[in-house]
Amino acid sequence: MPELRWVESDVPHRLRLDASPSGVGRASDNRLVLKDFSVSRHHARLERRGDTWWVVDLGSTNGVKVNSRYVTDAMLSDGNEIQIGNFALSYHTGESSIGLSVSSSTFLRTLEEFREDFRLEKEPSKKGVQSTAATPRERVLEALAQVARTLLEVEELEPVLEKVMEAVFEQLPAERAYILLFSPEGQAELRIARSRGGAPLAEAPVSQTILDLVSRQKVAVLTSDAQADERFAAGLSVRLHQIRSAMCAPLWHRDAVIGVLFVDTPLATGCFTTEHLDLLTALANYAAVAIDRARLNDHIREARRVRERLERYHSPAVVEAIVGRQRPTGDGERHETREVSVLFADLVGFSARCETMEPQEVARFLGEFFTLASDSVFEFGGTLDKFIGDAAMAFFGAPLEQPDHAERAVLAAMALRRRLKAWNHERELAGLDIVEVRMAVNSGLVVVGEIGSANRVDYTVLGNTVNVAARLEETVAEPGQIVIGAATQRVVAHLFPTEHLGSVLLRGMQGKLPVFRLLTEEITGPGD
């Protein structure tokens, strides 16, 4: 009677073909059960057709070979060797014997089957609970899973990649290891390459054929000799780099593949086993989770840096609006022309005041004034540009467009005047002198954005509008006054009473400019 013979764990086995059809696979409902990941659950079928027996591939992952050739179905003759996954079965019609051995070839491991077998994305066993792993291979993988979880403790990307390299050489007999990550455009980019001794490698001899197979089909690949495998025969990199024994696993988390983990031994064949492939696949899973987490942490840190930088200049409401807008950050133009209103506020008599104060007192005094100025600017959605000695400069209308920027700037000046009045009341009760401030507002076109050198930039405004505002505060405004330019006055005249102070020639200007004063003594409400 025809039979199959094979060796499993150094023990010879036989199966008489007395029933047709007879299933072959990893699932327990097959007639011939082969417990190895390289065998699909329902891998093949043996069936009788007349006086002959045939083997039929049932769409398995690793295929069926008869006498070293892939087949979809084939008639069997005495002595034929059938390769199913990691097993070499021989077909015999009589009592002849034949030496049997486990084959050395290329195997694919689908992520779906791996996930079902090892459940790496389940919660790990609680400490103190006895392991349920049934085989040595499963116990090794369970231990590796616990070790791999330590990758999640590393928060930055580069250290994560280094940790993966360490784990690879600790667990696998590989001589070289490479991690390639996919760009948003889908291109594989080499991120780290190491030899067993830890030396960095300049390039990755990863076959594009293997790379495409792993990433597109979501399988892990083990090849004992890529040079001899017909699946990779057309791969130029396989021939050029003399790739022999190699493994490649996708960096996968759930259904996303973000890159590949590739290891090889370039000068030897048959260095890796199917258990090694399972170890590599498990490690690639946790590496992908750690890499995703590190990338997210990098994004959060960058967002935090952006927010902290914005908070130096803008009110919390403006910061939220800017962050929520998710403006692109590239290397293009970072400034633009915009119509804004500029506010200058300067302490009166500061130099004389400092002569009788200790440095710590000066710093405390300025801190209190700048807090009043900042609160007033932020109250009306302005941008605090800078502190210049004892003066504060702010603008309204950027980075967010504010059609009422002139009104906001005037209201901020009035709010500062109101806060200054309350501060002076506290100072009088403490027996201190009162503080006076000169203020000016001017509206017009400016260049606004990130301006500076390659190493340092400031978010600021430049232009004649800024210069006029500074000159109005410096040379026109009297202590306690709020002076405004003509452009500002035209916009807010229907809201606030103003007085024309005539036309003045400002330092550095060609002609005289009309100047107005805000009649704060006639205003009731926010400014009083």
Side-chain angles (χ1 to χ4, degrees), residues 103-252:
S103 66
S104 175
S105 186
T106 297
F107 299 104
L108 308 182
R109 173 62 145 151
T110 67
L111 297 185
E112 182 179 359
E113 289 185 350
F114 184 87
R115 188 183 288 113
E116 291 178 6
D117 284 351
F118 295 98
R119 303 182 183 276
L120 285 187
E121 293 184 345
K122 297 291 185 181
E123 286 297 318
S125 301
K126 294 183 179 179
K127 191 173 183 179
V129 178
Q130 188 174 2
S131 170
T132 59
T135 68
R137 180 167 64 89
E138 290 174 346
R139 286 194 292 272
V140 169
L141 278 177
E142 188 173 274
L144 175 61
Q146 300 304 320
V147 172
R149 283 185 182 273
T150 62
L151 289 174
L152 302 183
E153 298 175 1
V154 185
E155 294 190 351
E156 297 183 3
L157 180 58
E158 296 306 321
V160 165
L161 301 180
E162 293 288 352
K163 287 287 187 183
V164 174
M165 291 289 108
E166 292 175 9
V168 164
F169 292 120
E170 181 179 340
Q171 300 289 340
L172 300 169
E175 293 301 321
R176 303 184 300 190
Y178 311 87
I179 292 178
L180 294 91
L181 300 181
F182 295 131
S183 68
E185 295 75 28
Q187 297 296 318
E189 300 174 348
L190 178 64
R191 291 304 304 266
I192 189 170
R194 293 285 186 270
S195 65
R196 173 163 287 277
L201 303 173
E203 59 178 349
V206 182
S207 161
Q208 187 64 42
T209 306
I210 295 177
L211 189 64
D212 290 343
L213 178 65
V214 170
S215 60
R216 294 178 183 176
Q217 297 188 23
K218 296 183 180 179
V219 296
V221 176
L222 181 159
T223 177
S224 295
D225 187 357
Q227 300 288 318
D229 194 286
E230 62 187 65
R231 299 189 195 201
F232 310 126
L236 179 61
S237 296
V238 172
R239 299 194 304 273
L240 290 179
H241 296 290
Q242 292 295 299
I243 298 176
R244 293 286 182 179
S245 189
M247 295 189 295
C248 188
L251 293 167
W252 58 283

Side-chain angles (χ1 to χ4, degrees), residues 75 143 253 259 268 283 317 349 368 384 414 444 448 489 505:
M75 185 179 70
H253 178 41
L283 182 57
E368 292 179 1
L384 185 62
M414 294 167 62
V448 57
Q489 194 271 344
L505 181 63

Side-chain angles (χ1 to χ4, degrees), residues 187-439:
Q187 297 296 318
E189 300 174 348
L190 178 64
R191 291 304 304 266
I192 189 170
R194 293 285 186 270
S195 65
R196 173 163 287 277
L201 303 173
E203 59 178 349
V206 182
S207 161
Q208 187 64 42
T209 306
I210 295 177
L211 189 64
D212 290 343
L213 178 65
V214 170
S215 60
R216 294 178 183 176
Q217 297 188 23
K218 296 183 180 179
V219 296
V221 176
L222 181 159
T223 177
S224 295
D225 187 357
Q227 300 288 318
D229 194 286
E230 62 187 65
R231 299 189 195 201
F232 310 126
L236 179 61
S237 296
V238 172
R239 299 194 304 273
L240 290 179
H241 296 290
Q242 292 295 299
I243 298 176
R244 293 286 182 179
S245 189
M247 295 189 295
C248 188
L251 293 167
W252 58 283
H253 178 41
R254 295 187 175 92
D255 292 325
V257 175
I258 64 172
V260 299
L261 175 56
F262 181 86
V263 300
D264 71 352
T265 53
L267 301 178
T269 61
C271 295
F272 302 122
T273 66
T274 54
E275 290 187 12
H276 291 143
L277 186 59
D278 273 345
L279 288 167
L280 184 71
T281 308
L283 182 57
N285 173 230
Y286 286 111
V289 176
I291 290 169
D292 262 352
R293 183 171 177 269
R295 283 174 163 175
L296 177 60
N297 287 334
D298 287 345
H299 177 73
I300 292 173
R301 279 190 290 271
E302 178 60 26
R304 187 181 296 121
R305 284 193 292 269
V306 170
R307 181 179 290 273
E308 290 173 352
R309 189 155 162 265
L310 290 172
E311 287 172 348
R312 293 170 52 197
Y313 307 111
H314 310 298
S315 68
V318 172
V319 171
E320 290 300 328
I322 295 172
V323 173
R325 226 169 32 169
Q326 295 181 335
R327 297 179 64 184
T329 56
D331 294 328
E333 289 294 327
R334 296 187 178 182
H335 48 77
E336 59 182 324
T337 301
R338 183 81 67 84
E339 185 170 311
V340 304
S341 291
V342 182
L343 166 65
F344 275 88
D346 189 12
L347 287 168
V348 176
F350 177 71
S351 298
R353 184 187 300 272
C354 290
E355 293 179 0
T356 60
M357 298 172 65
E358 294 294 329
Q360 295 85 349
E361 292 181 282
V362 173
R364 183 167 54 252
F365 175 78
L366 283 178
E368 292 179 1
F369 168 64
F370 290 151
T371 298
L372 300 180
S374 300
D375 290 346
S376 301
V377 171
F378 292 165
E379 180 181 351
F380 293 97
T383 296
L384 185 62
D385 189 304
K386 61 176 70 73
F387 298 125
I388 312 168
D390 60 333
M393 172 185 169
F395 56 89
F396 299 77
L400 298 181
E401 291 187 6
Q402 296 167 327
D404 57 346
H405 54 81
E407 178 184 348
R408 289 172 180 265
V410 171
L411 287 172
M414 294 167 62
L416 176 55
R417 188 172 180 273
R418 183 180 69 248
R419 287 183 169 92
L420 191 65
K421 182 178 181 180
W423 187 33
N424 278 327
H425 179 67
E426 295 175 1
R427 289 179 62 83
E428 285 181 320
L429 292 177
L432 301 174
D433 60 332
I434 65 171
V435 177
E436 292 187 295
V437 176
R438 297 190 303 266
M439 287 183 277

